[in-house]
């Protein structure tokens, strides 16, 4: 009888505790999951210190630049080639100082930067509607799509002789070369972005009445923004390269002196230090525009889509 009495007692202890214990365990698990998600959000939302940010973002590029300078100086010191062909970093620095003391450094840079940015913005205004039409109208895509692909692969310098004959050596020629180089890339980027938009988004937009230009503005372009942004970045690269090609070939007092013209002038003077300085300045402007304009926009787009931690 002792064994039969203890079994029900054990069952009585277990049975009443099953349901409440399971519910409490489930509630505690849910609370733990919620607390974990909150903690995760709080961790990603925290921003690192300024020193940590500089160490992670500024130190690696700085080390890369120092390595390149060290290899450059080593090649110069070992006399791997004549100093006429490969001047020292110090000689290039002296060329930069000469431009600074002459007061022409910023004017040379600004002449090219202004042309490049204004031509690029004009290319955006022209290339965006072209991309929309090509992406959404099948007959237009069949007729113009291959042409845009071909124009994108055509070297920008090939347009310079034709633009000089058509327009003369002036600013209009410069902008024509920029547009012919940048517009196809911007249009093709938008077409590629629209092709990746899920059809559900378009149907949802039509359901709420977002059609035509309204649908393009509020549904189509925002949904295609990653591809469109990639096209804009590539369009800027083509615009900058097109401008440098035009400035290298075309020479006129009315055009002013940009980076491309400065580079060609140094080549005519056989000044290799000036040539390397021109190359470095052109590279510097391209990197600066990328870091100051496109990188923040790209990070914001990725963050808004949940593809980047909010603290980064």
């Amino acid at each position: 009888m002792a064994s039969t009495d203890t079994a029900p007692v054990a069952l009585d202890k277990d049975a009443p505790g099953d349901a409440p214990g399971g519910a409490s365990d489930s509630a505690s698990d849910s609370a733990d999951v919620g607390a974990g998600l909150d903690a995760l959000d709080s961790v990603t939302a925290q921003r690192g210190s300024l020193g940590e940010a500089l160490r992670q973002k500024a130190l690696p590029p700085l080390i890369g630049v120092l390595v390149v300078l060290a290899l450059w100086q080593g090649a110069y010191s070992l006399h791997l080639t004549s100093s006429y062909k490969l001047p020292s970093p110090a000689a290039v620095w002296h060329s930069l100082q000469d431009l600074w003391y002459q007061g022409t450094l910023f004017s040379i840079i600004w002449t090219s930067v202004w042309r490049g940015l204004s031509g690029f913005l004009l290319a955006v205004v022209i290339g965006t509607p072209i991309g929309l039409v090509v992406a959404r109208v099948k007959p237009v895509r069949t007729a113009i799509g291959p042409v845009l692909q071909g124009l994108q692969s055509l070297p920008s310098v090939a347009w310079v002789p034709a633009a000089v004959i058509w327009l003369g050596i002036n600013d209009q020629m410069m902008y024509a070369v920029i547009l012919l180089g940048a517009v196809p890339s911007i249009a093709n980027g938008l077409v590629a972005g629209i092709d990746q938009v899920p059809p559900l988004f378009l149907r949802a937009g039509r359901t709420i009445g977002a059609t035509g230009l309204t649908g393009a503005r509020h549904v189509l372009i925002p949904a295609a923004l990653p591809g469109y942004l990639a096209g804009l970045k590539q369009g800027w690269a083509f615009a900058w390269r097109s401008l440098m090609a035009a400035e290298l070939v075309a020479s006129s007092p009315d055009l002013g002196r940009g980076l491309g013209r400065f580079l060609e002038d140094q080549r005519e003077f056989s000044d290799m230090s000036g040539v390397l300085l021109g190359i470095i300045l052109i590279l510097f402007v391209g990197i600066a525009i990328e870091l100051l304009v496109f990188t923040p926009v790209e990070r914001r787009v990725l963050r808004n889509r949940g593809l980047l931690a909010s603290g980064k």
Side-chain angles (χ1 to χ4, degrees):
M1 292 298 293
S3 60
T4 57
D5 290 341
T6 55
V9 172
L11 290 176
D12 290 342
K13 289 181 179 180
D14 291 339
D18 284 344
S24 61
D25 291 342
S26 177
S28 62
D29 290 342
S30 300
D32 292 340
V33 171
L37 293 176
D38 292 339
L40 182 60
D41 290 340
S42 63
V43 169
T44 57
Q46 292 177 354
R47 294 184 179 272
S49 63
L50 179 60
E52 183 181 356
L54 292 176
R55 180 177 59 83
Q56 293 179 353
K57 298 180 180 180
L59 188 59
L62 180 60
I63 293 176
V65 171
L66 293 177
V67 169
V68 171
L69 289 176
L71 293 175
W72 181 1
Q73 181 63 44
Y76 174 80
S77 301
L78 294 174
H79 302 288
L80 297 182
T81 186
S82 63
S83 59
Y84 165 76
K85 295 181 180 180
L86 183 64
S88 66
V92 177
W93 175 256
H94 290 323
S95 297
L96 178 63
Q97 287 181 323
D98 291 340
L99 284 182
W100 175 269
Y101 292 138
Q102 293 170 8
T104 58
L105 176 62
F106 289 113
S107 64
I108 291 174
I109 296 175
W110 177 247
T111 298
S112 294
V113 170
W114 170 251
R115 283 191 188 132
L117 290 179
S118 57
F120 170 71
L121 293 177
L122 184 59
V124 172
V125 173
I126 297 174
T128 300
I130 292 177
L132 284 172
V133 173
V134 171
R136 301 301 296 164
V137 182
K138 291 185 179 180
V140 176
R141 182 167 190 163
T142 303
I144 300 181
V147 177
L148 288 177
Q149 294 290 343
L151 290 176
Q152 185 174 352
S153 63
L154 183 67
S156 304
V157 70
W159 289 111
V160 178
V164 170
I165 296 174
W166 290 337
L167 303 171
I169 302 178
N170 49 37
D171 282 330
Q172 287 74 20
M173 179 274 297
M174 296 282 186
Y175 288 116
V177 174
I178 292 174
L179 293 178
L180 290 169
V183 167
S185 297
I186 295 172
N188 285 327
L190 182 54
V191 170
I194 292 176
D195 288 344
Q196 298 174 7
V197 175
L200 180 61
F201 289 4
L202 303 180
R203 291 196 296 268
R206 288 193 295 266
T207 301
I208 62 176
T211 58
L213 294 178
T214 303
R217 177 184 176 185
H218 296 286
V219 178
L220 201 57
I221 293 181
L225 197 54
Y228 183 39
L229 183 58
L232 291 177
K233 293 174 63 176
Q234 191 174 39
W236 162 250
F238 273 83
W240 187 239
R241 284 184 286 180
S242 301
L243 176 61
M244 292 301 102
E247 289 185 350
L248 279 169
V249 175
S251 175
S252 173
D254 297 333
L255 291 176
R257 194 184 188 200
L259 287 171
R261 189 69 253 163
F262 169 79
L263 182 60
E264 179 62 16
D265 289 343
Q266 303 312 301
R267 196 275 307 170
E268 294 176 354
F269 296 149
S270 298
D271 183 0
M272 194 59 192
S273 298
V275 170
L276 290 178
L277 175 61
I279 295 173
I280 292 172
L281 290 177
I282 292 171
L283 179 63
F284 171 78
V285 172
I287 294 175
I289 296 297
E290 170 72 21
L291 294 178
L292 297 177
V293 178
F294 292 105
T295 298
V297 174
E298 185 177 23
R299 294 175 70 86
R300 182 174 181 179
V301 169
L302 294 176
R303 186 180 297 114
N304 290 340
R305 292 171 181 264
L307 302 176
L308 186 69
S310 59
K312 294 182 179 181

